Amino acid sequence: MSENLAPDSSLQQQMETFEETCRTADLKLTHQRLEIYRELARATDHPSAETLHTRLQKSLPTLSLDTVYRTLATFEQHHLVKKVQTVDSQAHFEAQMSQHHHVICDSCKEIMDFHWNSFDSTPLPEDLRQWGAIRNKNVTIHGTCRKCQDVKAGKKPA
Amino acid sequence: MSENLAPDSSLQQQMETFEETCRTADLKLTHQRLEIYRELARATDHPSAETLHTRLQKSLPTLSLDTVYRTLATFEQHHLVKKVQTVDSQAHFEAQMSQHHHVICDSCKEIMDFHWNSFDSTPLPEDLRQWGAIRNKNVTIHGTCRKCQDVKAGKKPA
DNA sequence: CTAAATGCAAAATTTTTGCAGTCCC
DNA sequence: GGGACTGCAAAAATTTTGCATTTAG
């Protein structure tokens, strides 16, 4: 709970930063861009373009899927969003740009963020230094989330 | 150099393990499967289905792309190969099943393996324990490889 | 006003599937 | 010989593109 203080104001803050970045980059602040960004920033589940499109039907009934794709690509170029590395056929996106890592449930495919400061500050192994210029390092964890474990347990009791 | 001893014999060993696994799993050892697996096991670059298909044209001129896809999917189900997590549109594969991590060059897209034993034995952060059952943890590093750095340096000195 | 962004439709890319013939066990 | 596997062709799924129209700045 304590980590969840004032989520709205932080979203609002994120929107302001977003608008600021768009102005600086000469990206027009269209209704579509604002809504797409807000929807992604609000999401915690790393949605695909199609999922975003579906969610935005209510607020933007005429929004087309190709605009979602185009917009996400533009945002990505301007480092406003990132594609999430997955094994999925659909690309997944996130607006969370600060350092974090992912846990993926192989059963329900849910992707969650987590933080790991001690890892972040650990130096890389020696032999990697000569590989080139390293920009970032991230951990991905795979497993089965509590929810899916419980479902399985319910179906096949021990 | 010392780590590179007898690469052929290790490929041969890997082929034997592969055949063994197929027999146990009642997977027929077809010419195609053997060649696809061998090609992937030999590769160090995490090729896509299409790349594998191209490389196999010489040894299997009639091999179809859909068989490559189907075969890789079968292998994956039997834990003989893994899909590599990327941000690419095409899926990439590897036959290397033991614990390792990836460095990806954002410029040339090359994916290389590396090992990091001290990371492997580091316990996960506390708050992840309650997430569910964790199967594995892997690091992905992004950056620009030496080769691409040099190319850039050559083109835009200073 | 004007260049950039959108929506539509059509295409391109990547992957999957149905079916008839082929091949391993 | 029989069921699994393959190749072909066609479809499905995902993403991209050309162009006319609309819109932000």
Side-chain angles (χ1 to χ4, degrees):
Chain A
M1 281 228 182
S2 60
E3 351 148 9
N4 209 18
L5 284 173
D8 285 345
S9 85
S10 89
L11 175 60
Q12 211 170 309
Q13 176 113 30
Q14 209 177 338
M15 287 306 299
E16 274 163 37
T17 309
F18 166 74
E19 295 183 22
E20 171 74 27
T21 306
C22 285
R23 271 185 231 106
T24 307
D26 271 312
L27 290 180
K28 290 186 177 169
L29 278 169
T30 64
H31 191 189
Q32 290 89 332
R33 284 182 176 163
L34 281 162
E35 290 306 310
I36 291 171
Y37 185 82
R38 192 199 319 283
E39 192 64 43
L40 185 57
R42 180 158 52 200
T44 60
D45 63 346
H46 311 78
S48 65
E50 207 172 352
T51 303
L52 278 173
H53 181 242
T54 304
R55 289 185 190 163
L56 288 163
Q57 293 294 21
K58 291 158 198 173
S59 46
L60 291 172
T62 66
L63 177 68
S64 66
L65 179 56
D66 51 297
T67 295
V68 179
Y69 276 109
R70 253 187 293 229
T71 302
L72 289 171
T74 304
F75 289 172
E76 203 188 0
Q77 282 159 31
H78 292 274
H79 305 288
L80 285 162
V81 310
K82 272 189 299 192
K83 256 190 196 163
V84 179
Q85 292 204 166
T86 57
V87 116
D88 260 39
S89 44
Q90 283 192 324
H92 292 257
F93 295 86
E94 63 185 1
Q96 169 73 57
M97 297 302 282
S98 61
Q99 172 71 350
H100 67 278
H101 309 281
H102 291 140
V103 218
I104 303 179
C105 174
D106 293 328
S107 177
C108 66
K109 310 298 173 193
E110 193 177 66
I111 305 169
M112 275 188 45
D113 291 349
F114 72 94
H115 293 266
W116 195 358
N117 296 333
S118 63
F119 169 82
D120 297 338
S121 52
T122 301
L124 292 169
E126 254 320 313
D127 44 323
L128 262 177
R129 308 285 174 76
Q130 57 187 24
W131 173 81
I134 283 156
R135 199 140 28 242
N136 57 56
K137 58 177 197 289
N138 291 91
V139 178
T140 306
I141 289 175
H142 281 264
T144 310
C145 73
R146 194 49 68 89
K147 258 177 295 176
C148 290
Q149 280 185 297
D150 291 349
V151 168
K152 274 182 202 158
K155 280 183 178 165
K156 310 176 190 171
Chain B
M1 281 226 183
S2 60
E3 352 145 13
N4 209 16
L5 284 172
D8 284 346
S9 86
S10 89
L11 175 59
Q12 212 170 311
Q13 178 112 30
Q14 208 177 339
M15 287 307 299
E16 275 163 36
T17 309
F18 166 73
E19 295 183 21
E20 172 75 26
T21 306
C22 285
R23 271 185 231 104
T24 308
D26 272 313
L27 290 180
K28 290 188 177 167
L29 279 169
T30 64
H31 191 188
Q32 290 90 332
R33 284 182 176 164
L34 281 162
E35 290 306 309
I36 292 171
Y37 185 82
R38 193 200 318 283
E39 193 65 40
L40 185 57
R42 181 158 52 199
T44 61
D45 63 345
H46 312 78
S48 66
E50 207 171 351
T51 304
L52 278 174
H53 180 242
T54 305
R55 288 184 191 164
L56 288 163
Q57 293 294 21
K58 291 158 197 176
S59 46
L60 290 172
T62 66
L63 177 69
S64 66
L65 180 57
D66 51 297
T67 295
V68 179
Y69 275 109
R70 252 188 292 230
T71 303
L72 289 170
T74 304
F75 288 172
E76 203 188 359
Q77 281 159 30
H78 292 274
H79 305 288
L80 284 162
V81 310
K82 272 189 299 195
K83 255 189 197 164
V84 179
Q85 290 202 169
T86 58
V87 116
D88 259 40
S89 44
Q90 283 192 326
H92 292 258
F93 295 86
E94 65 185 358
Q96 169 71 55
M97 296 303 282
S98 60
Q99 171 72 350
H100 67 278
H101 309 280
H102 291 139
V103 216
I104 302 179
C105 174
D106 293 327
S107 176
C108 66
K109 310 298 173 193
E110 193 177 67
I111 305 169
M112 275 189 46
D113 291 349
F114 72 95
H115 293 267
W116 195 358
N117 296 333
S118 63
F119 169 83
D120 297 338
S121 53
T122 301
L124 292 169
E126 254 320 313
D127 43 321
L128 262 178
R129 307 285 173 75
Q130 58 187 24
W131 172 82
I134 283 157
R135 199 139 30 241
N136 56 57
K137 58 177 197 287
N138 291 92
V139 177
T140 306
I141 289 173
H142 281 263
T144 309
C145 73
R146 195 48 68 91
K147 258 176 294 174
C148 290
Q149 281 184 296
D150 291 349
V151 168
K152 273 182 204 159
K155 281 183 180 167
K156 309 177 192 172

